[in-house]
Amino acid sequence: MSSIITKIKLINYKRFENYTIEPKSHINILIGDNESGKSSILEAIDIVASGNVRRVETLGLDRLINASSVQAFNSGQRTYDNLPKMIIELYLQGDYGYNVNGKNNTDGITCDGIRLVCEPNPDYQNEIIESLREQKDYFPYDILIDSASMNSDYATNDFIKRTYFQYTEDDVKERAVHKSKYRQMKDNFRTTSLQGLNDRIPSGKNYTFGLKASSTVSLEENLMIYENEIGIDSKGTGKQVFIKTDFALERSGRNMDVILIEEPENHLSHVNLRKLIQRVSRAQNGQLFITTHNSLISTRLELRNLLIMGKEVKGNPVSLQKLGESTAKYFMKAPVANIVEFVTSNKVVLVEGPSEYMLFEKFYITTTAHEPEQDHVHIIDIRGLSFKRYLEIAHLIQSKVAVVTDNDGNKQRNCVDKYADFTGDANIQVFNEDDNEKRTFEIVLYNGNKTLCDRLFGEEALDYMLKNKTEAAFSLLDQDEDIVVPGYIQGAIEWIRK
C-alpha cells in the first residue's frame, strides 16, 4: 500500500496563519498568483518529510515564521507564554509503525502523522524573558533556532544522495560493498598517484597529502548521475528538471511515495514540457504535488486536480474536484486555454471572438476613464462557444464573470435559455444585444458608428466588417476618433467593476 498525505496543516508558517490542504491521493496541481504560497507548500512538505532540523536552520526561522504573528506579538503582551509557535503537520495514510501513530496533533485525533514545531526552548526561558524585557523590538529568532548558509549545489547533491539510498534501500550489503570499494580506491590513490608528491616533502616532516576522510565527503556526497557520459550538474536546468522528475516517477509507489515538482515550465521548452506532462500522466503510483503558472499543465493533467491558492474557503484552497467529468475532459483535449488566468482572477469578462477582445479595453477606458487592470478586471477571449464550460468553473470558485455574447438572431434561445442553469448565481451575468435583427457584434458596432465605419471601410462597410472581423476591429482600434460603445457591452463593464 502506497503512503500518502491526507492533510497538510500550517500554523504561523510563512504567509499562512492557519491553513489546511486536503490533497488528492495522486495528482495535486497548485496554482495561484505570485506570492500566493505555492512554493511554500512544497517546502513545508519537504522540511517535515525529510526530518532534517538542519534544513530549518539553513532556511532561518525569521524567513519561515508568519510575519503577522510576530507583529501581533510585538504589539501585544510580549511575554514568554505569548510567543507564537510555528507548526507544520502532515497527516498520513499507509503502512506505518506505532512510532508515527498518536493524537499529538492540533486536531487532537488518533492517526498516523509527522509534525514540525518551532517554539520557545524552555532551556533558554530566563534568557528569553530577560531579552524581551530589555529590548522592545526583540524577537528570539536566534535562540529558537540558528540560521546557516546553504551551498548552491545543495539541491542536486541532496537529490542524488536520496536517489542512491532509494535504489539501494533493499540491499544494505550492497551499500557496504560500495563504501568498502570507495575507501580502497581512496587509499590506492594516496599510495600511488600522490606518492611522488609526498616524496618531495622534506624528511623529518610528518606531513602527507591524502584525501579527506570526513563523513561530509563520503561516497554518497561524491556520487553523480550521468546521462550519455555527462553529469547532470553540467546540464541545463531544464534537463535537470526532466531527469530528476523521471527518476522520481520511476520509483513512485515503491520506496518513494510523495514527489514534489516546482514550476517545471520555467526551464523546459514547449516540446519537453509536453513530454514531461505525458510522463506524469502515465505514472500510476505515487502522490504528486506540482506548482505551476502554466495552463497546459493545468488542463492536460486534468482540472479536477487543481488547488487554487489565494482563493480560500474556511482556510482551505478552492478545489475543482467537483467539476463535471465532461468539462474536465473537454479542457484536456481542447486547444490550450487561459485557464490559469481565469481561475486565479476575481473579476473576468469573457468575450467570444478576437474582434471583441481587441476593442474591449478601448471600450472599458471610454466607459470608465481608466484601464481594466485598475479594477482588477481580466478580459479573456475563449475563442469558441464554450462559455458554459467556463461558467461551470466560475460557479465552483465563486468568481464574478460577465459573458459578452452575440444573440445570433434569437436572444431567448441563445442568451436566456442556454444559460438558465446559472441564473441563480449572482456572480454570473450574460450580456447581449436585445434586438434579434442585430445578431452579431459587428452589426451592433456598425449601427452605432455608421459615419466612422463608412469612412474607414467604404460603401459596403458592414459587409466588409462581417467578412473581415479581426481586420475591421484592428482598423477601428488604430484610429483616433471616438467609438460609440454598444449598450450591452457598456452594461457588462459597469456591472463587472462594482
Side-chain angles (χ1 to χ4, degrees), residues 21 52 64 134 147 176 273 280 307 327 356 389 412 457 477:
I21 295 177
N52 189 350
L64 294 178
E134 292 181 355
S147 297
L273 182 59
V280 171
L307 292 169
T327 294
E356 289 96 326
R389 306 279 188 187
Q412 183 63 39
F457 309 123
L477 188 64

Side-chain angles (χ1 to χ4, degrees), residues 266-485:
N266 285 352
H267 307 290
L268 292 173
S269 67
H270 188 70
V271 172
N272 282 328
L273 182 59
R274 284 184 173 273
K275 289 181 179 178
L276 183 69
I277 291 171
Q278 291 173 355
R279 182 70 179 88
V280 171
S281 63
R282 288 197 299 267
Q284 298 298 312
N285 301 306
Q287 186 178 31
L288 283 76
F289 292 84
I290 305 171
T291 67
T292 187
H293 290 280
N294 186 273
S295 291
L296 180 66
I297 293 173
S298 301
T299 54
R300 294 303 186 263
L301 294 179
E302 195 177 318
L303 291 178
R304 288 185 292 184
N305 293 320
L306 289 190
L307 292 169
I308 306 168
M309 310 291 294
K311 286 195 171 185
E312 285 78 29
V313 176
K314 297 180 179 179
N316 299 321
V318 170
S319 167
L320 291 186
Q321 190 166 349
K322 294 183 179 179
L323 186 68
E325 182 179 2
S326 174
T327 294
K329 288 184 176 180
Y330 170 85
F331 282 106
M332 290 179 73
K333 300 299 182 182
V336 179
N338 295 323
I339 202 70
V340 170
E341 182 182 355
F342 179 68
V343 300
T344 57
S345 300
N346 291 319
K347 296 180 181 181
V348 182
V349 177
L350 296 178
V351 298
E352 65 176 289
S355 53
E356 289 96 326
Y357 178 83
M358 292 173 70
L359 287 165
F360 205 94
E361 183 174 356
K362 186 178 182 69
F363 291 161
Y364 200 98
I365 294 171
T366 299
T367 303
T368 67
H370 59 260
E371 296 177 345
E373 289 76 15
Q374 292 177 260
D375 292 328
H376 305 287
V377 172
H378 291 267
I379 304 157
I380 299 177
D381 167 22
I382 65 172
R383 292 179 176 270
L385 301 179
S386 54
F387 285 122
K388 292 180 70 174
R389 306 279 188 187
Y390 281 84
L391 294 183
E392 185 181 347
I393 297 172
H395 182 70
L396 291 174
I397 63 178
Q398 293 298 291
S399 291
K400 190 174 184 180
V401 179
V403 172
V404 175
T405 182
D406 296 335
N407 65 40
D408 292 326
N410 191 326
K411 171 185 169 69
Q412 183 63 39
R413 182 186 64 200
N414 298 321
C415 304
V416 179
D417 297 342
K418 183 177 180 178
Y419 302 104
D421 293 341
F422 304 100
T423 54
D425 192 329
N427 289 317
I428 295 173
Q429 188 73 42
V430 179
F431 295 87
N432 52 269
E433 169 60 41
D434 290 332
D435 187 349
N436 286 335
E437 296 298 319
K438 300 175 182 178
R439 65 185 188 280
T440 68
F441 167 69
E442 285 72 26
I443 295 175
V444 178
L445 190 62
Y446 175 76
N447 277 272
N449 299 272
K450 286 184 179 181
T451 302
L452 173 60
C453 293
D454 288 342
R455 177 172 62 78
L456 287 175
F457 309 123
E459 293 183 2
E460 302 295 327
L462 179 56
D463 186 59
Y464 174 85
M465 291 171 68
L466 289 171
K467 292 179 179 178
N468 305 274
K469 295 183 177 183
T470 305
E471 287 298 323
F474 179 73
S475 297
L476 284 166
L477 188 64
D478 197 36
Q479 54 83 42
D480 297 328
E481 190 172 330
D482 291 337
I483 304 175
V484 176
V485 181

Side-chain angles (χ1 to χ4, degrees), residues 162-169 174 247 250-251 255:
R162 290 190 195 190
T163 303
Y164 172 74
F165 279 111
Q166 287 152 8
Y167 272 81
T168 60
E169 183 181 46
E174 182 182 21
F247 258 92
E250 178 66 27
R251 305 299 295 176
N255 52 4

Side-chain angles (χ1 to χ4, degrees), residues 84 98 145 184 190 467:
Y98 67 90
I145 217 157
Q184 293 175 29
R190 179 178 57 81
K467 292 179 179 178

Side-chain angles (χ1 to χ4, degrees), residues 204-247:
K205 302 288 186 181
N206 295 321
Y207 304 131
T208 58
F209 284 94
L211 297 177
K212 293 179 179 179
S214 168
S215 60
T216 60
V217 285
S218 62
L219 167 63
E220 297 86 359
E221 296 293 337
N222 276 318
L223 283 174
M224 178 55 60
I225 293 175
Y226 288 81
E227 183 193 41
N228 298 325
E229 305 301 322
I230 300 175
I232 66 171
D233 60 339
S234 299
K235 293 180 178 289
T237 306
K239 191 62 176 177
Q240 288 190 37
V241 169
F242 196 93
I243 293 171
K244 291 176 182 179
T245 303
D246 196 41
F247 258 92

Side-chain angles (χ1 to χ4, degrees), residues 88-126:
I88 305 172
E89 295 179 334
L90 303 183
Y91 293 69
L92 306 174
Q93 176 183 306
D95 297 323
Y96 297 102
Y98 67 90
N99 56 321
V100 297
N101 186 268
K103 57 180 182 179
N104 186 23
N105 53 69
T106 53
D107 284 352
I109 61 174
T110 300
C111 64
D112 290 338
I114 51 179
R115 71 198 305 241
L116 167 73
V117 179
C118 289
E119 60 185 348
N121 188 335
D123 292 340
Y124 298 101
Q125 180 173 349
N126 293 334

